[in-house]
Amino acid sequence: MAESTDNLAAVLHGIDDLRMEQIPIPVPGPHQVLVRVHTVGICGSDVHYWTHGAIGNFVVREPMVVGHETSGVVAGVGSEVKDFQVGDRIAMEPGLPCKGCEHCKKGRYNLCADMKFFATPPINGTLARYVVHDSAFCYKWCSFVGTSVGVTSPLEPEKAVGRGDEGREDGRSRKFSSNSQIEEWEPFQVLRDFHELLIQPINGAFPLQNPSEDVILHRPHRLRGPRRLGQRPSLAPVGRLPDNVSFEDGSLLEPLSVAVHACRRANLQMGNRVLVLGAGPIGVLNMMTAKAAGAGRVIVTDLDDSRLALAKKLGADEVINVRNKRVVDIRAEIILAMGSEPDISIECTGAQPCVETAIMTTISGGVIVLVGLGASRIEIPIIESACREVDIRGIFRYVNCYPTALELVASGRIDLSGLTRAHYPLEQTLEAFKRTQKADVVKVFIQC
Ligand code: NAD
Ligand code: ZN
């Protein structure tokens, strides 16, 4: 469990009133893990709560910790947690549904009315040093604990510094519990191979205590505790994942999952021509996901040239600045650039002209996915949608998308490294929020 009592958190007390405060380090319940938060990405919704105190019906009535795009390291596990161990690097899916309602049972838990979602009032978010979360909604992409391993230095093999125990007699994780040194070995980056993993500290953020520079993690065989019914298998077993999944990528799985869900709701097929309206973080990730899913031409529209330039750099086939243009002209420009009407339009602005453009431009029988959330009521050419059988589908967050998002990144199918970024320490959360408002980078990260 956590050794320190420091749990600095970014607590929103009301409009324009974000304070850095100490809060108690939470104790994980039986099915929860305690997470030492590493990186939190700032989302437009976090900033919106700060500037407006509410989003729709969700009103900040009492102090609330903000932040929900989270990655970190497991620092403790509850008594019933089987799949996670101290030291696992994880990404956290922010929502905890009830697991029992009709929607949850149908596998559409994002529609659960009892969803408890980080930083959606009154549920606290993750911009803190430590948080707890249900282990079923944590995803690891690097774990060398929980397998039977011996850690040795290749230079001085006799100086073995740790050895996992060989089983789970009590069904609980006891790996390395007898060897406190191993705690210092947690956050390594797995660099290669299946049986011999070269590991190294990440960014020097968690300095190696062991003096030897190169360390081989031997992984002679894999041990798994019995799986409970309905439990998802551990994702990303040791050694399968490359070193390209960083903590920042882990945080980005959150908005990436939105894009995965949007492409699924669009029923995107190979070769589909896709129009993405909006080149913010969500629009860009939708463009990249559509490409990764096999889309043909993907065209992105926005009002901002620099955002469009980045979208182009990141893989958009064509970008169109729609500022001061009429829908009829935008439609013609899109069709000219695409060579036809788009099969799918993914609306990522929430702006009325964009919804209208999507309806007017999408091919008859095509699909529009509404990702953007703008005004609650807008005027749209509904007859166009009805008579040309252009389906309009909403999406709400994501459901069962984190594993896919993780695999897309881990496999290199989606490369997030081109997204422009800014970084702030937890103490400078306010500055980070102001930077997010400037919107000069795709993502602002806070290191906790
Ligand atoms: P963002 O504000 O960073 O990006 C929106 C982009 O749309 C900007 O680049 C802006 O220039 C562009 N835009 C605005 N009006 C436009 C217009 N008339 N024509 C063309 N472009 C226009 O936001 P984001 O973080 O990328 O999120 C996009 C939207 O997705 C937001 O509305 C957000 O609330 C929504 N969202 C929805 C879900 C969901 O579950 N449905 C999840 C996450 C985000
Ligand atoms: Zn439910």
Side-chain angles (χ1 to χ4, degrees), residues 29-357:
H31 295 281
Q32 289 181 321
V33 290
L34 175 69
V35 181
R36 189 169 49 161
V37 179
H38 187 286
T39 297
V40 178
I42 304 302
C43 163
S45 66
D46 296 313
V47 175
H48 200 273
Y49 281 119
W50 172 55
T51 53
H52 292 76
I55 295 180
N57 293 333
F58 293 104
V59 182
V60 180
R61 297 189 198 282
E62 49 195 69
M64 176 185 83
V65 178
V66 289
H68 63 274
E69 301 178 0
T70 322
S71 62
V73 179
V74 173
V77 295
S79 57
E80 299 298 320
V81 173
K82 305 280 193 291
D83 272 359
F84 292 88
Q85 308 222 333
V86 170
D88 283 342
R89 297 167 67 206
I90 59 164
M92 300 165 75
E93 180 174 349
L96 178 62
C98 81
K99 301 180 184 175
C101 72
E102 184 183 348
H103 304 298
C104 285
K105 284 179 172 171
K106 279 183 185 161
R108 295 182 73 172
Y109 61 80
N110 59 325
L111 305 178
C112 174
D114 288 327
M115 175 70 88
K116 293 180 174 56
F117 199 89
F118 285 144
T120 297
I123 307 300
N124 280 326
T126 55
L127 254 172
R129 302 232 196 268
Y130 291 95
V131 295
V132 290
H133 198 37
D134 191 303
S135 66
F137 292 87
C138 295
Y139 303 87
K140 60 182 161 188
W141 67 90
C142 167
S143 163
F144 46 83
V145 191
T147 55
S148 175
V149 294
V151 183
T152 56
S153 158
L155 307 174
E156 302 170 284
E158 69 281 7
K159 282 198 184 167
V161 297
R163 189 163 296 279
D165 68 24
E166 289 296 311
R168 292 165 177 253
E169 313 81 36
D170 56 1
R172 302 261 308 274
S173 81
R174 297 202 302 108
K175 302 292 179 296
F176 307 119
S177 54
S178 60
N179 187 338
S180 60
Q181 237 182 313
I182 202 66
E183 301 291 309
E184 298 152 5
W185 288 64
E186 294 167 359
F188 294 133
Q189 207 160 6
V190 176
L191 292 181
R192 89 183 147 84
D193 203 43
F194 198 69
H195 294 287
E196 279 194 336
L197 303 172
L198 185 63
I199 52 182
Q200 66 175 31
I202 301 157
N203 300 333
F206 301 86
L208 255 182
Q209 303 295 316
N210 192 288
S212 65
E213 282 178 9
D214 291 319
V215 176
I216 298 280
L217 175 70
H218 292 293
R219 190 168 164 283
H221 58 277
R222 190 170 181 76
L223 286 181
R224 278 267 170 82
R227 287 238 308 276
R228 281 169 292 161
L229 199 64
Q231 191 179 4
R232 65 184 168 70
S234 293
L235 290 154
V238 183
R240 261 194 52 217
L241 290 174
D243 60 353
N244 61 345
V245 184
S246 65
F247 281 110
E248 289 183 11
D249 291 341
S251 299
L252 284 167
L253 296 186
E254 203 276 344
L256 184 57
S257 291
V258 173
V260 169
H261 189 45
C263 288
R264 283 187 181 159
R265 290 276 291 155
N267 193 22
L268 198 154
Q269 304 289 320
M270 282 183 287
N272 277 169
R273 294 150 298 190
V274 178
L275 171 65
V276 175
L277 303 107
I282 295 292
V284 164
L285 289 170
N286 267 282
M287 176 274 293
M288 296 170 87
T289 306
K291 280 276 181 184
R297 287 182 79 74
V298 180
I299 293 183
V300 179
T301 64
D302 202 288
L303 303 169
D304 183 302
D305 277 333
S306 63
R307 288 197 157 193
L308 288 171
L310 183 66
K312 185 96 204 289
K313 197 172 152 206
L314 294 173
D317 294 290
E318 210 69 62
V319 294
I320 298 173
N321 192 324
V322 297
R323 186 175 288 281
N324 296 329
K325 293 178 184 165
R326 298 180 308 158
V327 168
V328 60
D329 298 325
I330 298 167
R331 175 180 187 275
E333 205 174 332
I334 290 166
I335 292 172
L336 187 68
M338 197 164 262
S340 70
E341 295 146 307
D343 301 297
I344 290 167
S345 295
I346 306 179
E347 204 302 302
C348 303
T349 72
Q352 186 278 337
C354 293
V355 181
E356 184 170 339
T357 300

Side-chain angles (χ1 to χ4, degrees), residues 7-40:
N7 195 18
L8 190 67
V11 185
L12 183 65
H13 284 257
I15 295 175
D16 209 11
D17 187 4
L18 187 63
R19 304 180 202 169
M20 300 311 298
E21 294 175 351
Q22 285 292 340
I23 60 171
I25 294 177
V27 177
H31 295 281
Q32 289 181 321
V33 290
L34 175 69
V35 181
R36 189 169 49 161
V37 179
H38 187 286
T39 297
V40 178

